[in-house]
Coordinates of all heavy atoms in Angstrom, one line a residue:
K254 N -26.6 156.8 31.2 CA -25.9 155.6 30.6 C -27.0 154.6 30.6 O -27.4 154.2 31.6 CB -24.8 155.3 31.4 CG -23.6 156.4 31.5 CD -22.4 156.0 32.4 CE -21.5 157.0 32.4 NZ -20.4 156.9 33.5
D255 N -26.9 154.0 29.5 CA -27.9 152.8 29.3 C -27.3 151.6 30.1 O -28.3 150.6 30.3 CB -28.0 152.4 27.8 CG -28.8 153.4 27.0 OD1 -29.5 154.3 27.6 OD2 -28.7 153.5 25.9
L256 N -26.2 151.5 30.4 CA -25.6 150.4 31.1 C -26.0 150.3 32.7 O -25.8 149.3 33.3 CB -24.2 150.3 31.0 CG -23.6 150.1 29.5 CD1 -22.0 150.1 29.5 CD2 -24.1 148.7 29.1
Q257 N -26.5 151.4 33.1 CA -26.8 151.6 34.6 C -25.6 151.0 35.4 O -25.9 150.0 36.1 CB -28.2 150.8 34.8 CG -29.3 151.4 34.0 CD -30.6 150.7 34.1 OE1 -30.6 149.5 34.6 NE2 -31.6 151.2 33.8
L258 N -24.5 151.6 35.3 CA -23.4 151.2 36.0 C -23.5 151.4 37.7 O -24.2 152.5 38.0 CB -22.1 151.8 35.5 CG -21.7 151.7 34.1 CD1 -20.6 152.6 33.7 CD2 -21.5 150.2 33.9
T259 N -23.0 150.6 38.4 CA -23.0 150.7 39.8 C -21.7 151.6 40.2 O -20.8 151.6 39.4 CB -22.8 149.3 40.4 OG1 -21.5 148.8 40.2 CG2 -23.9 148.4 40.0
P260 N -21.8 152.2 41.4 CA -20.7 153.0 41.8 C -19.3 152.1 41.6 O -18.2 152.6 41.3 CB -21.0 153.3 43.2 CG -22.5 153.5 43.2 CD -22.9 152.3 42.3
A261 N -19.5 150.8 42.0 CA -18.3 150.0 42.0 C -17.6 149.8 40.6 O -16.5 149.5 40.3 CB -18.5 148.5 42.5
Q262 N -18.5 150.1 39.5 CA -18.1 150.0 38.1 C -17.6 151.2 37.4 O -17.1 151.2 36.4 CB -19.3 149.4 37.3 CG -19.6 147.9 37.7 CD -21.0 147.7 37.0 OE1 -21.9 148.4 36.9 NE2 -21.1 146.3 36.4
E263 N -17.8 152.3 38.2 CA -17.4 153.6 37.6 C -15.9 153.8 37.3 O -15.5 154.3 36.3 CB -17.9 154.8 38.6 CG -19.4 155.0 38.6 CD -19.9 155.5 37.3 OE1 -19.2 156.2 36.5 OE2 -21.1 155.2 37.1
G264 N -15.1 153.3 38.1 CA -13.7 153.2 37.9 C -13.3 152.5 36.5 O -12.6 153.0 35.8
A265 N -13.9 151.3 36.4 CA -13.8 150.6 35.2 C -14.1 151.4 33.9 O -13.6 151.4 32.9 CB -14.3 149.3 35.2
W266 N -15.4 152.1 34.1 CA -15.9 152.9 33.0 C -15.0 154.1 32.7 O -14.6 154.2 31.5 CB -17.2 153.5 33.4 CG -17.6 154.4 32.4 CD1 -17.7 155.8 32.5 CD2 -18.2 154.2 31.2 NE1 -18.2 156.5 31.4 CE2 -18.4 155.6 30.6 CE3 -18.4 153.1 30.4 CZ2 -19.0 155.6 29.2 CZ3 -18.9 153.1 29.0 CH2 -19.3 154.5 28.5
T267 N -14.3 154.6 33.7 CA -13.4 155.8 33.4 C -12.2 155.3 32.7 O -11.7 155.9 31.8 CB -13.0 156.4 34.8 OG1 -14.1 156.9 35.5 CG2 -12.0 157.6 34.6
E268 N -11.6 154.1 33.2 CA -10.5 153.6 32.4 C -10.8 153.3 31.0 O -10.0 153.5 30.2 CB -9.9 152.3 33.2 CG -9.3 152.7 34.5 CD -8.9 151.3 35.2 OE1 -8.7 150.3 34.6 OE2 -8.9 151.4 36.6
F269 N -12.0 152.7 30.8 CA -12.3 152.3 29.5 C -12.6 153.5 28.6 O -12.0 153.7 27.4 CB -13.7 151.5 29.5 CG -14.4 151.3 28.2 CD1 -13.9 150.4 27.2 CD2 -15.5 152.1 27.9 CE1 -14.5 150.3 26.0 CE2 -16.2 151.9 26.6 CZ -15.7 151.1 25.7
S270 N -13.2 154.6 29.1 CA -13.4 155.8 28.4 C -12.1 156.5 28.0 O -11.9 157.1 27.0 CB -14.3 156.7 29.2 OG -15.6 156.3 29.5
N271 N -11.2 156.6 28.9 CA -9.9 157.3 28.8 C -9.2 156.4 27.5 O -8.5 157.1 26.7 CB -9.1 157.3 29.9 CG -9.7 158.2 31.0 OD1 -10.5 159.1 30.7 ND2 -9.3 158.1 32.2
A272 N -9.2 155.1 27.6 CA -8.5 154.3 26.6 C -9.2 154.6 25.1 O -8.4 154.4 24.2 CB -8.6 152.9 26.9
M273 N -10.4 154.9 25.1 CA -11.1 155.1 23.8 C -10.8 156.5 23.2 O -11.0 156.6 21.9 CB -12.6 155.0 23.9 CG -13.0 153.5 24.3 SD -12.5 152.2 23.0 CE -11.4 151.2 24.0
R274 N -10.3 157.5 24.0 CA -10.0 158.7 23.5 C -8.8 158.7 22.5 O -7.9 157.9 22.7 CB -9.6 159.6 24.6 CG -10.8 160.0 25.5 CD -10.5 161.1 26.4 NE -11.6 161.4 27.3 CZ -11.5 161.3 28.6 NH1 -10.5 161.1 29.1 NH2 -12.6 161.6 29.2
P275 N -8.8 159.4 21.5 CA -7.6 159.6 20.6 C -6.4 160.1 21.4 O -6.5 160.8 22.4 CB -8.0 160.6 19.5 CG -9.4 161.0 19.8 CD -9.9 160.4 21.2
P276 N -5.2 159.8 21.0 CA -4.1 160.3 21.7 C -4.0 161.7 21.7 O -4.5 162.4 20.9 CB -2.8 159.7 20.9 CG -3.4 158.9 19.7 CD -4.9 159.1 19.7
A277 N -3.4 162.3 22.9 CA -3.3 163.7 23.1 C -2.6 164.3 22.0 O -2.9 165.4 21.4 CB -2.7 164.0 24.4
T278 N -1.5 163.6 21.6 CA -0.7 164.2 20.4 C -0.8 163.2 19.3 O -0.3 162.1 19.5 CB 0.7 164.5 20.8 OG1 1.2 163.3 21.4 CG2 0.9 165.6 21.7
P279 N -1.4 163.4 18.3 CA -1.6 162.5 17.2 C -0.2 162.2 16.7 O 0.7 163.0 16.6 CB -2.4 163.3 16.1 CG -2.5 164.6 16.5 CD -2.1 164.8 18.0
P280 N 0.0 161.1 16.0 CA 1.2 160.7 15.4 C 1.7 161.6 14.4 O 0.8 162.1 13.5 CB 1.1 159.3 14.8 CG -0.3 158.9 15.3 CD -1.0 160.0 15.8
Q281 N 2.9 162.0 14.5 CA 3.5 163.0 13.5 C 3.8 162.3 12.1 O 4.5 161.3 12.1 CB 4.7 163.6 14.0 CG 4.4 164.6 15.1 CD 3.8 165.9 14.6 OE1 3.0 166.0 13.6 NE2 4.1 166.9 15.2
R282 N 3.3 162.7 11.1 CA 3.5 162.2 9.8 C 4.6 163.2 9.1 O 4.5 164.4 9.3 CB 2.2 162.4 8.9 CG 1.2 161.4 9.2 CD 0.0 161.6 8.3 NE -0.9 160.6 8.6 CZ -1.2 159.5 7.9 NH1 -0.6 159.3 6.7 NH2 -2.2 158.6 8.1
P283 N 5.6 162.6 8.6 CA 6.5 163.5 7.9 C 5.9 164.3 6.7 O 5.0 163.8 6.1 CB 7.6 162.5 7.4 CG 6.9 161.2 7.2 CD 5.8 161.2 8.4
D284 N 6.2 165.4 6.5 CA 5.8 166.1 5.5 C 6.3 165.7 4.1 O 7.1 164.9 4.0 CB 6.0 167.7 5.6 CG 7.5 168.0 5.6 OD1 8.3 167.2 5.0 OD2 7.8 169.1 6.1
R285 N 5.7 166.0 3.0 CA 5.9 165.6 1.8 C 7.3 165.9 1.4 O 8.0 165.0 0.7 CB 4.9 166.3 0.7 CG 5.1 165.7 -0.7 CD 4.1 166.3 -1.6 NE 3.1 165.7 -2.3 CZ 2.7 164.5 -2.5 NH1 3.4 163.6 -1.7 NH2 1.8 164.0 -3.2
E286 N 7.8 167.0 1.8 CA 9.3 167.3 1.4 C 10.2 166.3 2.1 O 11.2 165.8 1.5 CB 9.6 168.8 1.9 CG 10.9 169.3 1.4 CD 11.1 170.8 1.8 OE1 10.2 171.5 1.5 OE2 12.2 171.0 2.3
A287 N 10.0 166.0 3.4 CA 10.8 165.1 4.1 C 10.7 163.7 3.3 O 11.7 163.0 3.3 CB 10.4 165.0 5.6
L288 N 9.5 163.3 3.0 CA 9.4 161.9 2.4 C 10.1 161.9 1.0 O 10.7 160.8 0.8 CB 7.9 161.7 2.1 CG 7.1 161.3 3.3 CD1 5.5 161.2 2.9 CD2 7.5 160.0 3.8
E289 N 10.1 163.0 0.3 CA 10.8 163.0 -1.0 C 12.3 162.9 -0.8 O 13.0 162.4 -1.6 CB 10.5 164.3 -1.7 CG 9.1 164.3 -2.2 CD 8.6 165.7 -2.9 OE1 9.5 166.6 -2.9 OE2 7.5 165.7 -3.3
K290 N 12.8 163.3 0.4 CA 14.3 163.2 0.5 C 14.7 161.8 1.1 O 15.9 161.6 1.1 CB 14.7 164.2 1.6 CG 14.6 165.7 1.1 CD 14.9 166.6 2.2 CE 14.8 168.1 1.7 NZ 15.1 169.1 2.7
M291 N 13.7 161.0 1.5 CA 14.1 159.7 2.0 C 14.2 158.6 0.9 O 13.6 158.8 -0.2 CB 12.8 159.2 3.0 CG 12.6 159.9 4.1 SD 11.3 159.1 4.9 CE 11.0 160.3 6.4
T292 N 15.0 157.7 1.1 CA 15.2 156.6 0.3 C 13.9 155.7 0.4 O 13.1 155.8 1.3 CB 16.4 155.8 0.5 OG1 16.2 155.1 1.8 CG2 17.7 156.6 0.4
T293 N 13.7 154.8 -0.6 CA 12.6 153.9 -0.5 C 12.6 153.1 0.8 O 11.6 153.0 1.5 CB 12.5 153.1 -1.8 OG1 12.3 153.9 -2.9 CG2 11.4 151.9 -1.6
P294 N 13.7 152.4 1.2 CA 13.8 151.8 2.4 C 13.4 152.8 3.6 O 12.8 152.3 4.5 CB 15.2 151.2 2.5 CG 15.6 151.1 1.0 CD 14.9 152.3 0.4
Q295 N 13.9 153.9 3.6 CA 13.5 154.8 4.8 C 12.0 155.1 4.8 O 11.5 155.1 5.8 CB 14.2 156.2 4.5 CG 15.8 156.0 4.9 CD 16.6 157.3 4.5 OE1 16.1 158.0 3.5 NE2 17.6 157.5 5.2
R296 N 11.4 155.2 3.6 CA 9.9 155.5 3.6 C 9.1 154.3 4.1 O 8.2 154.4 4.8 CB 9.5 155.8 2.2 CG 9.8 157.3 1.7 CD 9.1 157.8 0.5 NE 9.4 156.9 -0.6 CZ 10.5 157.2 -1.5 NH1 11.3 158.2 -1.3 NH2 10.7 156.4 -2.5
L297 N 9.6 153.0 3.7 CA 9.1 151.9 4.2 C 9.2 151.8 5.6 O 8.3 151.3 6.4 CB 9.7 150.7 3.6 CG 9.4 150.5 1.9 CD1 10.2 149.4 1.4 CD2 7.9 150.4 1.8
D298 N 10.3 152.1 6.2 CA 10.6 152.1 7.7 C 9.6 153.1 8.3 O 9.0 152.8 9.4 CB 12.0 152.5 8.0 CG 13.0 151.4 7.5 OD1 12.5 150.2 7.4 OD2 14.3 151.6 7.6
Q299 N 9.4 154.2 7.7 CA 8.6 155.3 8.3 C 7.0 154.7 8.3 O 6.4 154.7 9.3 CB 8.7 156.5 7.4 CG 7.7 157.7 7.9 CD 8.3 158.2 9.3 OE1 9.4 158.2 9.6 NE2 7.3 158.5 10.2
M300 N 6.7 154.2 7.3 CA 5.4 153.5 7.2 C 5.1 152.4 8.2 O 4.2 152.2 8.9 CB 4.9 153.0 5.8 CG 4.8 154.2 4.8 SD 4.2 153.6 3.1 CE 5.6 152.6 2.6
Q301 N 6.2 151.6 8.3 CA 6.2 150.5 9.4 C 6.0 151.1 10.7 O 5.2 150.6 11.5 CB 7.3 149.6 9.2 CG 7.4 148.4 10.1 CD 8.6 147.5 10.0 OE1 9.7 148.1 9.8 NE2 8.4 146.2 9.9
A302 N 6.8 152.1 11.0 CA 6.7 152.7 12.4 C 5.3 153.2 12.7 O 4.8 153.2 13.8 CB 7.8 153.8 12.5
M303 N 4.7 153.8 11.6 CA 3.3 154.4 11.8 C 2.3 153.3 12.0 O 1.4 153.4 12.9 CB 3.1 155.4 10.6 CG 3.9 156.6 10.6 SD 3.5 157.7 9.1 CE 1.8 158.2 9.6
R304 N 2.5 152.1 11.2 CA 1.6 151.1 11.4 C 1.7 150.4 12.9 O 0.7 150.2 13.5 CB 1.8 150.0 10.5 CG 1.2 150.2 9.1 CD 1.3 148.9 8.3 NE 2.6 148.3 8.2 CZ 3.5 148.5 7.4 NH1 3.4 149.5 6.4 NH2 4.7 147.8 7.4
K305 N 3.0 150.4 13.3 CA 3.2 149.8 14.7 C 2.5 150.7 15.7 O 1.8 150.3 16.6 CB 4.7 149.7 14.9 CG 5.1 149.2 16.3 CD 6.6 149.1 16.5 CE 6.8 148.5 17.9 NZ 8.1 148.8 18.4
Q306 N 2.7 152.1 15.5 CA 2.0 152.9 16.5 C 0.5 152.8 16.5 O -0.1 152.7 17.6 CB 2.4 154.3 16.1 CG 2.4 155.4 17.2 CD 3.0 156.7 16.7 OE1 2.9 157.1 15.6 NE2 3.7 157.4 17.5
H307 N 0.0 152.6 15.4 CA -1.5 152.5 15.2 C -1.9 151.2 15.9 O -2.9 151.2 16.6 CB -1.9 152.4 13.8 CG -3.3 152.3 13.5 ND1 -4.3 153.3 13.8 CD2 -4.0 151.3 12.9 CE1 -5.4 152.8 13.6 NE2 -5.3 151.7 13.0
Q308 N -1.1 150.1 15.6 CA -1.5 148.8 16.1 C -1.5 148.8 17.7 O -2.3 148.3 18.4 CB -0.6 147.6 15.6 CG -0.8 146.2 16.1 CD -2.3 145.9 15.7 OE1 -2.7 146.1 14.4 NE2 -3.0 145.2 16.5
E309 N -0.4 149.5 18.4 CA -0.3 149.7 19.7 C -1.5 150.4 20.3 O -2.0 149.9 21.4 CB 0.9 150.4 20.0 CG 2.2 149.6 19.9 CD 3.6 150.4 20.0 OE1 3.5 151.6 20.2 OE2 4.6 149.8 19.8
Q310 N -2.0 151.4 19.6 CA -3.2 152.1 20.1 C -4.4 151.2 20.0 O -5.3 151.1 21.1 CB -3.5 153.3 19.3 CG -4.6 154.1 19.7 CD -4.5 154.8 21.1 OE1 -3.3 155.0 21.5 NE2 -5.6 154.9 21.7
M311 N -4.5 150.3 18.9 CA -5.7 149.4 18.9 C -5.6 148.4 19.9 O -6.6 148.0 20.6 CB -5.6 148.8 17.5 CG -6.0 149.9 16.4 SD -7.5 150.7 16.5 CE -8.7 149.2 16.4
D312 N -4.3 147.9 20.2 CA -4.2 146.9 21.3 C -4.6 147.4 22.7 O -5.2 146.8 23.4 CB -2.7 146.5 21.3 CG -2.3 145.6 20.1 OD1 -3.3 145.1 19.4 OD2 -1.1 145.4 19.9
K313 N -4.2 148.7 22.9 CA -4.5 149.3 24.2 C -6.2 149.4 24.3 O -6.8 149.1 25.4 CB -4.0 150.7 24.2 CG -4.3 151.5 25.4 CD -3.7 152.9 25.4 CE -4.3 153.8 26.5 NZ -3.8 155.2 26.3
R314 N -6.8 149.8 23.1 CA -8.2 149.9 23.3 C -8.9 148.6 23.4 O -9.9 148.4 24.1 CB -8.7 150.6 22.0 CG -8.5 152.0 21.9 CD -8.9 152.6 20.6 NE -8.6 154.0 20.7 CZ -9.0 154.9 19.7 NH1 -9.6 154.5 18.7 NH2 -8.8 156.2 19.9
E315 N -8.4 147.5 22.7 CA -8.8 146.3 22.9 C -8.8 145.7 24.3 O -9.8 145.2 24.9 CB -8.1 145.2 22.0 CG -8.7 143.8 22.1 CD -7.9 142.9 21.3 OE1 -7.4 143.1 20.2 OE2 -8.1 141.6 21.6
A316 N -7.6 145.9 24.9 CA -7.5 145.4 26.4 C -8.3 146.3 27.2 O -8.9 145.6 28.2 CB -6.0 145.7 26.7
A317 N -8.6 147.5 27.1 CA -9.4 148.2 27.8 C -10.9 147.8 27.8 O -11.6 147.7 28.8 CB -9.3 149.7 27.6
T318 N -11.4 147.5 26.5 CA -12.7 146.9 26.3 C -12.8 145.7 27.1 O -13.9 145.5 27.7 CB -13.0 146.9 24.8 OG1 -12.8 148.1 24.3 CG2 -14.4 146.4 24.6
R319 N -11.9 144.7 26.9 CA -12.0 143.4 27.6 C -12.1 143.6 29.1 O -12.8 142.9 29.7 CB -10.8 142.5 27.1 CG -11.0 142.0 25.7 CD -9.8 141.1 25.3 NE -9.8 140.8 23.8 CZ -10.4 139.8 23.3 NH1 -11.2 139.1 24.1 NH2 -10.4 139.6 22.1
A320 N -11.3 144.4 29.6 CA -11.2 144.6 31.1 C -12.5 145.2 31.5 O -13.1 144.7 32.5 CB -10.1 145.4 31.4
F321 N -13.0 146.2 30.8 CA -14.3 146.8 31.2 C -15.5 145.7 31.2 O -16.2 145.6 32.0 CB -14.6 147.9 30.4 CG -15.9 148.7 30.6 CD1 -16.2 149.2 31.8 CD2 -17.0 148.6 29.7 CE1 -17.5 149.8 32.0 CE2 -18.2 149.3 29.9 CZ -18.5 149.8 31.1
Y322 N -15.5 145.0 30.0 CA -16.5 144.1 29.7 C -16.6 143.0 30.9 O -17.7 142.6 31.3 CB -16.3 143.4 28.3 CG -17.4 142.6 27.9 CD1 -18.4 143.1 27.1 CD2 -17.5 141.2 28.1 CE1 -19.4 142.5 26.6 CE2 -18.5 140.5 27.5 CZ -19.6 141.2 26.8 OH -20.5 140.4 26.3
T323 N -15.4 142.5 31.5 CA -15.6 141.6 32.5 C -16.1 142.1 33.8 O -16.5 141.4 34.6 CB -14.1 140.9 32.8 OG1 -13.3 142.1 33.3 CG2 -13.5 140.4 31.6
R324 N -16.2 143.5 33.9 CA -16.7 144.1 35.2 C -18.2 144.3 35.0 O -18.9 144.7 36.0 CB -16.1 145.5 35.4 CG -14.6 145.4 35.4 CD -14.1 144.9 36.9 NE -14.6 145.6 38.1 CZ -14.2 146.6 38.6 NH1 -13.2 147.3 38.2 NH2 -15.0 147.0 39.7
L325 N -18.7 143.9 33.9 CA -20.3 144.2 33.6 C -21.0 142.9 34.1 O -20.5 141.7 34.0 CB -20.6 144.4 32.3 CG -19.8 145.7 31.6 CD1 -20.2 145.8 30.1 CD2 -20.3 147.0 32.4
T326 N -22.2 143.0 34.5 CA -23.1 141.9 34.7 C -23.5 141.3 33.4 O -23.5 142.0 32.3 CB -24.4 142.4 35.5 OG1 -25.2 143.3 34.6 CG2 -24.1 143.1 36.7
P327 N -24.1 140.1 33.3 CA -24.5 139.6 32.1 C -25.5 140.5 31.3 O -25.5 140.6 30.1 CB -25.2 138.2 32.4 CG -24.4 137.8 33.7 CD -24.1 139.2 34.5
E328 N -26.4 141.1 32.0 CA -27.4 141.9 31.4 C -26.7 143.2 30.8 O -27.0 143.6 29.7 CB -28.5 142.5 32.4 CG -29.6 143.2 31.9 CD -30.4 142.7 30.7 OE1 -30.5 141.5 30.6 OE2 -30.8 143.4 29.8
Q329 N -25.8 143.6 31.5 CA -25.0 144.9 31.1 C -24.2 144.6 29.8 O -24.1 145.3 28.9 CB -24.1 145.5 32.2 CG -24.8 146.2 33.2 CD -23.9 146.5 34.4 OE1 -23.2 145.7 34.7 NE2 -24.1 147.7 34.9
Q330 N -23.7 143.3 29.9 CA -22.9 142.8 28.7 C -23.7 142.7 27.4 O -23.3 143.1 26.4 CB -22.1 141.5 29.0 CG -21.1 141.6 30.0 CD -20.6 140.2 30.4 OE1 -21.1 139.2 30.0 NE2 -19.3 140.1 31.1
K331 N -25.0 142.2 27.7 CA -25.9 142.1 26.6 C -26.2 143.6 26.0 O -26.1 143.8 24.8 CB -27.1 141.5 27.1 CG -28.2 141.3 26.0 CD -29.5 140.7 26.4 CE -30.5 140.6 25.4 NZ -31.8 140.1 25.9
R332 N -26.5 144.6 26.8 CA -26.7 145.9 26.3 C -25.5 146.5 25.7 O -25.6 147.2 24.7 CB -27.1 146.8 27.5 CG -28.6 146.6 27.8 CD -29.1 147.8 28.9 NE -29.6 146.9 30.0 CZ -29.3 147.1 31.3 NH1 -28.5 148.1 31.5 NH2 -29.8 146.4 32.2
F333 N -24.2 146.2 26.3 CA -23.0 146.7 25.8 C -22.8 146.0 24.3 O -22.4 146.8 23.2 CB -21.9 146.3 26.6 CG -20.5 146.9 26.2 CD1 -20.2 148.1 26.6 CD2 -19.6 146.2 25.4 CE1 -18.9 148.8 26.1 CE2 -18.4 146.7 25.0 CZ -18.1 148.0 25.3
D334 N -23.1 144.7 24.1 CA -23.0 144.1 22.9 C -23.9 144.8 21.9 O -23.5 145.0 20.7 CB -23.3 142.7 22.9 CG -22.3 141.8 23.9 OD1 -21.2 142.3 23.9 OD2 -22.7 140.9 24.2
E335 N -25.1 145.1 22.3 CA -26.1 145.6 21.3 C -25.7 147.0 20.9 O -25.9 147.4 19.8 CB -27.5 145.7 22.0 CG -28.1 144.3 22.2 CD -29.4 144.4 23.2 OE1 -29.7 145.5 23.8 OE2 -29.9 143.4 23.3
Q336 N -25.2 147.9 21.8 CA -24.7 149.3 21.6 C -23.5 149.2 20.7 O -23.4 150.1 19.8 CB -24.5 150.0 22.8 CG -25.8 150.2 23.7 CD -25.5 150.8 24.9 OE1 -24.3 151.1 25.3 NE2 -26.6 151.0 25.7
T337 N -22.6 148.4 21.0 CA -21.3 148.5 20.3 C -21.4 147.7 18.9 O -20.4 147.9 18.1 CB -20.1 148.0 21.1 OG1 -20.4 146.7 21.5 CG2 -19.9 148.9 22.3
G338 N -22.3 146.7 18.7 CA -22.3 146.0 17.6 C -23.1 146.6 16.3 O -23.2 146.1 15.4
K339 N -23.5 147.9 16.6 CA -24.2 148.7 15.5 C -23.2 149.3 14.6 O -22.2 149.7 14.8 CB -25.1 149.7 16.0 CG -26.3 149.1 17.0 CD -27.0 150.1 17.5 CE -28.1 149.7 18.3 NZ -29.0 150.4 19.0

């Protein structure tokens, strides 16, 4: 690891890494046949629910990144910025 984490930072790294993983079960999309049976408002509701699910996952990742970042030293933060800014 380029960040040269200390043993005290390992737990924060684990939490961060776990939050970055894709969900164990990806969101289920309705199949084409199911979509065709839905009314337009039902399809819109379905799309809205999927967007909400995606946003919740992004929020979780953002919170984990912020929490991990605060546990880094200024030098580690600089390296993290360089690595994630590419």
Side-chain angles (χ1 to χ4, degrees):
K254 294 176 186 168
D255 292 337
L256 294 177
Q257 298 176 344
L258 298 176
T259 66
Q262 294 170 318
E263 288 295 329
W266 170 257
T267 300
E268 289 176 24
F269 169 74
S270 297
N271 289 341
M273 294 300 116
R274 287 192 184 118
T278 53
Q281 288 287 33
R282 293 178 174 252
D284 62 21
R285 189 176 237 358
E286 190 174 311
L288 283 173
E289 289 173 359
K290 291 178 183 177
M291 291 180 185
T292 65
T293 297
Q295 288 171 328
R296 284 193 298 273
L297 292 171
D298 290 345
Q299 182 67 35
M300 289 187 297
Q301 183 179 40
M303 291 177 71
R304 279 193 313 271
K305 182 180 178 193
Q306 206 172 32
H307 179 72
Q308 185 63 47
E309 287 170 355
Q310 182 65 29
M311 294 301 296
D312 290 347
K313 177 182 169 188
R314 289 178 175 185
E315 179 185 336
T318 302
R319 288 179 186 278
F321 177 64
Y322 194 84
T323 63
R324 300 287 307 271
L325 300 175
T326 66
E328 181 59 35
Q329 289 170 319
Q330 288 176 348
K331 182 180 174 186
R332 279 190 239 132
F333 186 84
D334 292 341
E335 290 168 355
Q336 292 174 3
T337 58
K339 295 179 182 179

